[in-house]
């Protein structure tokens, strides 16, 4: 059985989030602990993938859909022109804290370093 996390609670509406975009498959909201001026997350509503390491060929459509929605979300965030970084932490060494696949969208300022854990 898929793990219940804070993100599945957000999807279920059990805890609030500051939403940016939502449709049947994905949800995007602002992180509670921003590491840059703009820091949003994109998640699949399904919690069957804890991290990108779990991805199977049958997940290609969902993962591709998430990626192709990022520019639209970046436009809503006002960082489409200025640029941004996307990160998906996967597993212990990455510092992943929430075991529900998610992509960070980080921008709104000149970014240093290579990851979201500065
Ligand atoms: P990661 O370390 O890659 O697992 O990232 C988890 C992200 O989820 C971090 O940006 C956290 O600040 C964020 N986060 C955790 N709980 C919440 C919450 N209730 N609402 C919004 N963002 C959250």
């Amino acid at each position: 059985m898929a793990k219940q996390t804070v993100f599945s609670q957000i999807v279920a509406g059990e805890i609030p989030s500051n939403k940016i975009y939502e449709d049947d498959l994905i949800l995007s909201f602002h992180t509670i602990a921003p590491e840059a001026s703009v820091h949003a997350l994109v998640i699949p509503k399904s919690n069957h993938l804890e991290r990108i390491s779990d991805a199977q060929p049958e997940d290609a459509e969902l993962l591709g859909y998430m990626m192709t929605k990022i520019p639209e979300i970046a436009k809503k965030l006002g960082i489409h022109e200025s640029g941004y970084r996307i990160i998906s932490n996967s597993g212990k060494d990455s510092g992943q804290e929430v075991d529900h696949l998610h992509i960070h969208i980080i921008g709104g300022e000149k970014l240093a370093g290579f990851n979201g854990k500065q």
Side-chain angles (χ1 to χ4, degrees):
M1 193 175 138
K3 190 186 278 188
Q4 297 301 308
T5 68
V6 67
F7 290 174
S8 27
Q9 290 182 284
I10 286 174
V11 170
E14 292 165 7
I15 60 173
S17 68
N18 188 356
K19 282 181 197 172
I20 302 153
Y21 176 84
E22 180 172 17
D23 63 26
D24 289 346
L25 294 176
I26 66 170
L27 179 61
S28 178
F29 50 93
H30 293 274
T31 178
I32 44 164
E35 298 186 43
S37 316
V38 176
H39 187 166
L41 303 168
V42 188
I43 67 168
K45 286 189 166 176
S46 164
N47 65 349
H48 74 285
L49 296 173
E50 291 187 12
R51 51 189 56 78
I52 199 68
S53 309
D54 296 336
Q56 300 298 316
E58 57 267 28
D59 298 310
E61 195 173 340
L62 173 63
L63 294 172
Y65 182 72
M66 284 178 75
M67 294 300 282
T68 57
K69 278 289 169 185
I70 286 174
E72 184 179 331
I73 295 165
K75 279 180 192 154
K76 285 179 181 280
L77 291 166
I79 57 172
H80 182 71
E81 299 301 328
S82 52
Y84 52 92
R85 182 175 295 155
I86 62 172
I87 295 168
S88 192
N89 291 314
S90 184
K92 186 164 58 70
D93 279 357
S94 73
Q96 182 180 6
E97 291 170 0
V98 180
D99 288 339
H100 180 134
L101 178 76
H102 53 282
I103 299 173
H104 297 253
I105 305 174
I106 301 169
E109 63 187 82
K110 186 83 177 165
L111 300 171
F114 292 99
N115 59 49
K117 306 275 173 187
Q118 292 163 7

